[in-house]
Amino acid sequence: MIVKMKNWAQILVGVCLSSLVGCQAPEEKQLEADLATINDIRPPAYPLITVDPYFSVWSMGDELHGDATRHWTGVENDLQGIIRVDGKSYYFLGEPVIETRAVLPLTGMKETWSYSLEKPAGKWSEIGYKEGSQWKSTRGAFTNGDDSPAPNKWNTENIWVRRSFELSNTDFHDILLNIHHDDNIKVYLNGVLAYEKEGWVSSPATFAINEEAKQALKVGENVMAIHCENTVGGAFLDAGLVEILPPSVDIAVAEQVHSEVRATQTLYTFDCEDVELEVTFTAPMLPDNLEVMTRPANYISFEVQSKDGAEHDVQVYFSAAGNLAVNTLDQEVSWERPEISGLQVMKLGTSAQPVLKKKGDNIRIDWGYLYLAANDKENTTSKIGVNTESIADFVKNGELSSADEMDKPLALNQKMITQAVAFDYGKVGSTAKENFVTLAYDDLYAVQFFKENLKAWWKKYGMSTEEMLQAAQSDYSKLIKASQDFDQQLYQDALQAGGAEYAAVCALVYRQAVSAHKTVEGPNGELFFFSKENFSNGSIGTVDVTYPSAPLFLIYNPELLKGMLEPIYYYSESGKWAKPFPAHDVGTYPLANGQTYGEDMPVEEAGNMLLLTGAIAKVEGNADYAAKHWDVMTTWVEYLANEGFDPANQLCTDDFAGHLAHNANLSVKAILAIAAYGQMAETLGKPELAEKYTAMAKDFAQKWMDKAEDGDHYSLTFDKKDTWSQKYNLVWNKLLDLNIFPEDVAQKEIAYYLTKQEDFGLPLDSRKTYTKSDWVMWTATMAEDDADKKALIKPMFTYINKTPNRIPVSDWHETTNAKSVGFRARSVVGGYFMPVLKEKL
């Protein structure tokens, strides 16, 4: 059964009042007020399906219905839900996937454009324009990239294109522009401006057309004319027109009355007149159970109950669209029904199956297979078919009574294929009834590691996909209970460490932090936990992404942090990376074949690797993991001994406003990394090394205080006074019991930071007003006074509540207006757990 909100609060009260060891419980009245804060947070986006960087679905608004559910990149990955009560249907999930027909298809490789690379004279966008010798004719789209699906190379800054087409009528229900462009664009229909945009659209998408341009269309000959300007980087251009078809059935909208995000669950409650519906999305990301945590399967459960005590006929419909299994809608998909005992299962994927053929940031998976499974019971029906037909079938009959679509393969921009399940609850009274589905994705191979294709970690346990689905189905009840228990533990840990608002933030970001990774089995059976730099540059296994995310994994399973470090250790120890400091990354996701980032970060990454290995030793109470990598760590610490105290003009993770030499915060990292190496040497029975590097770190720390002194704080760089920066790296001084810097250094900084806060947080440094929220949480952890800590944390809660960007949490935002500057859905929000780590240590 789904735990109700009132029970959730009661359980947490009991946990805090009776179970916390060493916790001085607050008054029960205050505690209940704190627990209510979990409902006060307004997520910028709600996690629904969270497995890895590819299998990821979010609701990016306050209501679960009314907008399409989306991949974290913003591209539609459609889930839909409808409840039918006494014959009346209500949407509760997603947006109706609008059916369209192509009025003017995208050109792809076939249709013809006229184009000019020189600015044309005259009324070039109109029908009667006479194309001169500067205009050429070609088939297909335009690009400057070798890997883009377009036959025509466009390497100039500007391009002008024209395309004639015939219309037999203009009586459209509605018509949209279908376009893929990079960068700035203006589109004309018969000489009338139809659409313009600064920026790019990275894959084909539909947009409204100006009403005047719609009216300009006529029976007979028409022309679409476009000017596109490539300002930087990649270039692409293709466009067409689509008609929106009228809806085939009328469906009301359920009233959403409650929403809540916990660590592993997102819950919604809907009022459907005489029936209440509770919908729960569960990702059983249990960090102490890697077999379960890494299964690519999430649950969606539907609990219904009469509100008026009378019995009502209730049916529930759920579907997952084929666009969860493609990168672009022009890709063809095929489907089948695997025979799995006790289950109704549907399987869908691209016909081409280009396994591990793509790399990059803003792309989605187009290999492997999407599965939707439900118990094979008499009250359950299912269908693989055209979206509108399946919905009409359910709305009319309360079940999926027609056969699966047989016309395959199909491109989804021709027909949107969905996998759908319908549950007939029969008569529903005051006793709640529940059903659930399992939504899963088998990617076949997950990551390529130095040319070897690796499988996801869950396959290490010898399970086939069919067995995994059966296990997920049979484990449902115990995993729901285990997920609820973990959610309570995590919330209570955060509540104790930072208060109710902080706990609500931690619950929100947990799944984001974990699902921005992929867990795979390495070539020798080892655990690799690869991060992806989402909406950054797509790097895989980036050290300076691992570093801020580490607190979450140090708390709940250090093996996952080791899994982040191992590929970097391998890269150096194998000789494939020969420099005396670690690599920045091991490739571009999902191809981990060696660093692809164009610039090294020597002090940054060496400091990160040593500090994180030292943190693992501290948490585990031994330095066994460090001993495995001692030789390469020694190379890195020697580099820091020579180059770390006063860093040269080199890239570091905070260089959003430009590179800096003599960076004081980077110097702190190097100094404490040297000290951490000394601490590990002491643990491993190497007293001479311990003494040498501990003494070196203390000497550097004293010099640092002298060079960075800037009155009532410490400067951004050694050579520029009247500047400042967050010295968040100082947090390790106390957490690891290094005691290299006097404690008053950190407290002097904290006092100064409190004078520099903006409405939505503490800026990263004195150069700009934006910040990195992960570092703010680290900085807050340095505060000895609890009130100071909460004063630094509270604006982060406010930022998340107020940001206008409805995307998974962005870790880079403006402190003056809460707008995202860049990044989204990144794993670095694991750094929000640094106050909890301090409590643990």
Side-chain angles (χ1 to χ4, degrees), residues 424-574:
D424 187 350
Y425 289 76
K427 297 293 185 181
V428 175
S430 56
T431 300
K433 294 183 179 181
E434 182 189 47
N435 282 294
F436 72 95
V437 297
T438 302
L439 191 63
Y441 204 106
D442 178 9
D443 54 17
L444 307 179
Y445 287 94
V447 168
Q448 187 176 95
F449 186 66
F450 292 100
K451 303 302 181 181
E452 181 175 350
N453 290 352
L454 304 181
K455 294 181 178 181
W457 182 260
W458 66 270
K459 296 188 176 186
K460 179 184 177 73
Y461 299 93
M463 279 188 176
S464 65
T465 308
E466 291 75 14
E467 290 168 332
M468 182 271 293
L469 289 171
Q470 284 181 314
Q473 203 79 5
S474 62
D475 291 347
Y476 171 76
S477 295
K478 71 177 183 181
L479 291 182
I480 292 295
K481 176 63 165 61
S483 296
Q484 291 168 346
D485 290 345
F486 177 72
D487 292 353
Q488 293 160 16
Q489 175 194 346
L490 182 144
Y491 185 83
Q492 188 57 57
D493 290 345
L495 183 68
Q496 181 179 347
E501 292 182 341
Y502 171 68
V505 170
C506 288
L508 171 63
V509 302
Y510 174 75
R511 273 174 284 169
Q512 175 175 323
V514 178
S515 64
H517 296 84
K518 186 66 179 181
T519 318
V520 304
E521 181 183 4
N524 300 308
E526 66 270 51
L527 174 72
F528 286 163
F529 192 50
F530 287 107
S531 64
K532 178 179 183 292
E533 283 209 57
N534 291 339
F535 260 40
S536 177
N537 67 345
S539 289
I540 184 170
T542 304
V543 179
D544 54 286
V545 168
T546 294
Y547 180 67
S549 72
L552 172 61
F553 305 102
L554 284 165
I555 296 162
Y556 295 112
N557 190 348
E559 293 301 317
L560 293 170
L561 179 55
K562 294 177 188 176
M564 288 187 257
L565 302 184
E566 276 300 297
I568 297 294
Y569 275 123
Y570 169 85
Y571 198 5
S572 284
E573 291 167 346
S574 66

Side-chain angles (χ1 to χ4, degrees), residues 614-765:
I616 290 170
K618 182 69 174 177
V619 168
E620 294 188 331
N622 63 71
D624 295 351
Y625 182 68
K628 289 175 52 180
H629 301 295
W630 194 253
D631 288 347
V632 71
M633 287 172 61
T634 301
T635 298
W636 295 341
V637 80
E638 279 300 306
Y639 177 83
L640 291 181
N642 294 321
E643 305 292 340
F645 168 66
D646 191 2
N649 188 15
Q650 61 184 246
L651 185 64
C652 85
T653 195
D654 295 336
D655 284 346
F656 300 100
H659 290 30
L660 286 172
H662 320 296
N663 186 319
N665 187 45
L666 187 59
S667 176
V668 169
K669 178 174 289 186
I671 294 166
L672 294 178
I674 292 167
Y677 178 90
Q679 186 181 71
M680 288 182 282
E682 181 70 30
T683 304
L684 290 171
K686 303 175 185 288
E688 292 183 1
L689 283 177
E691 182 179 353
K692 172 185 175 182
Y693 288 101
T694 301
M696 180 187 298
K698 288 182 177 179
D699 177 58
F700 283 166
Q702 186 58 55
K703 292 177 179 176
W704 184 95
M705 288 185 283
D706 293 339
K707 290 177 71 71
E709 175 65 37
D710 201 2
D712 56 356
H713 67 286
Y714 296 94
S715 56
L716 168 66
T717 63
F718 293 145
D719 61 334
K720 294 178 182 176
K721 301 306 176 183
D722 297 321
T723 61
W724 64 274
S725 64
Q726 291 188 47
K727 308 298 190 303
Y728 56 81
N729 288 311
L730 273 170
V731 73
W732 298 113
N733 187 56
K734 189 163 187 177
L735 261 64
L736 300 184
D737 292 327
L738 298 173
N739 300 315
I740 299 300
F741 288 88
E743 181 56 31
D744 60 8
V745 172
Q747 301 319 305
K748 180 177 179 178
E749 286 286 283
I750 293 293
Y752 186 78
Y753 299 152
L754 291 171
T755 71
K756 295 297 180 181
Q757 289 212 103
E758 300 286 351
D759 289 344
F760 300 103
L762 177 67
L764 185 61
D765 60 46

Side-chain angles (χ1 to χ4, degrees), residues 81 165 190 209 232 299 329 339 373 418 469 497 504 611 613 658 720:
F165 59 99
N190 296 339
I209 295 170
V232 67
Y299 301 117
L329 294 181
E339 294 282 342
T418 59
L469 289 171
L611 280 167
T613 305
K720 294 178 182 176

